Amino acid sequence: MFETTGWNASYQAAEGELFSAISNSWHALSVYAEGGELVGFGRIVSDGVLYAFVCDMIVAPDYQLRGVGSMIMEALLERCREAGIRVVWLFSASGKAGFYEKHGFEKRPSNAPGMQMELNIRV
């Protein structure tokens, strides 16, 4: 999914790195079409108690606006609810905030704490 949707253009992660990242997730979910084609994916990185971070919500372009993303998001959030996770975070791609708002997420106020750093480490 990273390759077919262009996500890996900036990450430039090798197949083994992607496998390791996914394997170290707290929870991951894949959706396949009837013919076996991978059409959606999402995962959570979490401490399993307090915090969870939704990563890599990806739906193949031909399957967007068909409910695949909503199915993935609801399943990921249900897993968090079952575990009693208190806070779920995510970064939204530009123009996609409305999708996440439909699932209960709120935009962080401009004066809210939080920072990020992208490390440009290439192995």
Side-chain angles (χ1 to χ4, degrees):
M1 298 272 340
F2 272 76
E3 291 295 334
T4 61
T5 58
W7 277 42
N8 205 24
S10 63
Y11 292 131
Q12 298 182 4
E15 184 177 328
E17 291 175 310
L18 292 172
F19 178 82
S20 181
I22 292 167
S23 297
N24 286 304
S25 299
W26 181 69
H27 186 70
L29 177 67
S30 299
V31 175
Y32 295 87
E34 285 187 31
E37 174 188 8
L38 179 63
V39 298
F41 177 79
R43 70 185 181 110
I44 299 172
V45 175
S46 177
D47 60 18
V49 179
L50 297 176
Y51 309 112
F53 182 76
V54 176
C55 300
D56 307 330
M57 276 288 303
I58 308 172
V59 176
D62 290 347
Y63 287 84
Q64 292 177 3
L65 302 174
R66 294 185 180 191
V68 174
S70 290
M71 181 173 51
I72 294 169
M73 181 55 66
E74 286 305 315
L76 294 176
L77 292 174
E78 183 57 30
R79 178 69 178 97
C80 290
R81 287 183 195 101
E82 289 170 357
I85 299 291
R86 283 129 172 114
V87 180
V88 180
W89 292 300
L90 61 77
F91 291 115
S92 172
S94 180
K96 301 293 184 181
F99 168 81
Y100 297 106
E101 289 171 337
K102 288 184 213 174
H103 294 280
F105 286 89
E106 299 173 352
K107 291 181 183 176
R108 292 177 58 85
S110 60
N111 65 347
M115 299 175 77
Q116 73 179 41
M117 174 189 293
E118 184 173 326
L119 300 175
N120 292 315
I121 299 172
R122 300 288 182 237
V123 179

